[in-house]
Amino acid sequence: MTTLDNRPNTALLVIDVQTGFVKDAYERDAIVGNVSTVVDKARAAGADLVWVQHHNDDLPQGSELWQLVPELVRLEAEPLVNKAYADAFEGTDLESVLAERGIGRLVIAGAQTDECIRSTLHGAIVRGYDALLVSDAHTTEDLREYGAPSPDLVIAHTNLYWEYHTAPGRTAGTVTTADLDFTGMAS
């Protein structure tokens, strides 16, 4: 388990499920539906939820495109972390938010697979967190015109390598929305 001392709790980290990021995302409606189900499961089990929203020149804070998709509602008590870099830990208060809550295990869902999801997964594991990716609750847009594989292959590859990722004293892996059970995790 986590290499972080006194961090027995689990949190769902919902990354960048914002109108501007997922409007053209692969299987948008299905993925947003799965993220919503995962959010419901976390709340029902009493797990912490932490929301992350990206901002940049094309997605300014407070703009319509910056908003969470209308299908997802953040409760006032659930922390919101604003970020400007792919890794949700970089230049943010995410670490202090997690430390205050004794969180050492992260369940990650959201967008975009090939940028913010991957960066945050790696950022978490190198900082000592356990990091579990919800394999059917992350997506990306089609970036083939820039040389990327098709979105389905980006998602499949990320799931493949994260399922078998290892680090000393930490756990990684994947789980489907249907199989995710927060009640079986320390919290």
Side-chain angles (χ1 to χ4, degrees), residues 26-38 41 108-110 113 133-139 155-156 159 174-180:
Y26 176 74
E27 295 190 350
R28 182 235 184 257
D29 293 343
I31 300 303
V32 170
N34 286 347
V35 172
S36 180
T37 297
V38 170
K41 285 184 171 196
I108 296 176
T113 301
L133 175 62
V134 186
S135 62
D136 56 354
H138 64 97
T139 188
I155 293 164
N159 289 338
T174 62
V175 64
T176 63
T177 297
D179 290 339
L180 179 60

Side-chain angles (χ1 to χ4, degrees), residues 113-128:
T113 301
D114 42 357
E115 186 68 20
C116 300
I117 296 297
R118 285 185 183 177
S119 295
T120 301
L121 284 166
H122 289 283
I125 209 92
V126 300
R127 287 172 174 87

Side-chain angles (χ1 to χ4, degrees), residues 7-170:
R7 301 275 196 101
N9 299 330
T10 299
L12 172 61
L13 195 60
V14 180
I15 301 174
D16 301 348
V17 189
Q18 297 163 251
T19 302
F21 271 124
V22 300
K23 65 181 172 60
D24 296 321
Y26 176 74
E27 295 190 350
R28 182 235 184 257
D29 293 343
I31 300 303
V32 170
N34 286 347
V35 172
S36 180
T37 297
V38 170
V39 166
D40 291 344
K41 285 184 171 196
R43 287 178 179 152
D48 283 286
L49 267 85
V50 178
W51 299 82
V52 177
Q53 282 179 274
H54 191 87
H55 62 88
N56 58 31
D57 290 343
D58 297 325
L59 204 70
Q61 282 183 289
S63 70
E64 184 178 327
L65 293 176
W66 177 82
Q67 301 299 323
L68 294 173
V69 296
E71 298 93 330
L72 299 177
V73 176
R74 180 181 73 89
L75 302 180
E76 182 131 352
E78 297 167 349
L80 173 63
V81 173
N82 290 294
K83 70 178 181 67
Y85 302 100
D87 180 347
F89 288 92
E90 290 295 329
T92 72
D93 63 348
L94 179 57
E95 171 54 28
S96 63
V97 166
L98 300 174
E100 288 170 7
R101 291 161 176 76
I103 295 165
R105 180 180 182 89
L106 298 174
V107 176
I108 296 176
Q112 288 195 193
T113 301
D114 42 357
E115 186 68 20
C116 300
I117 296 297
R118 285 185 183 177
S119 295
T120 301
L121 284 166
H122 289 283
I125 209 92
V126 300
R127 287 172 174 87
Y129 292 88
D130 294 330
L132 185 65
L133 175 62
V134 186
S135 62
D136 56 354
H138 64 97
T139 188
T140 192
E141 64 186 314
D142 190 340
L143 298 172
R144 285 181 281 191
E145 70 180 280
Y146 303 104
S150 62
D152 60 320
L153 295 178
V154 169
I155 293 164
H157 181 251
T158 301
N159 289 338
L160 173 68
Y161 85 74
W162 202 255
E163 180 178 350
Y164 299 104
H165 191 80
T166 60
R170 287 148 286 165

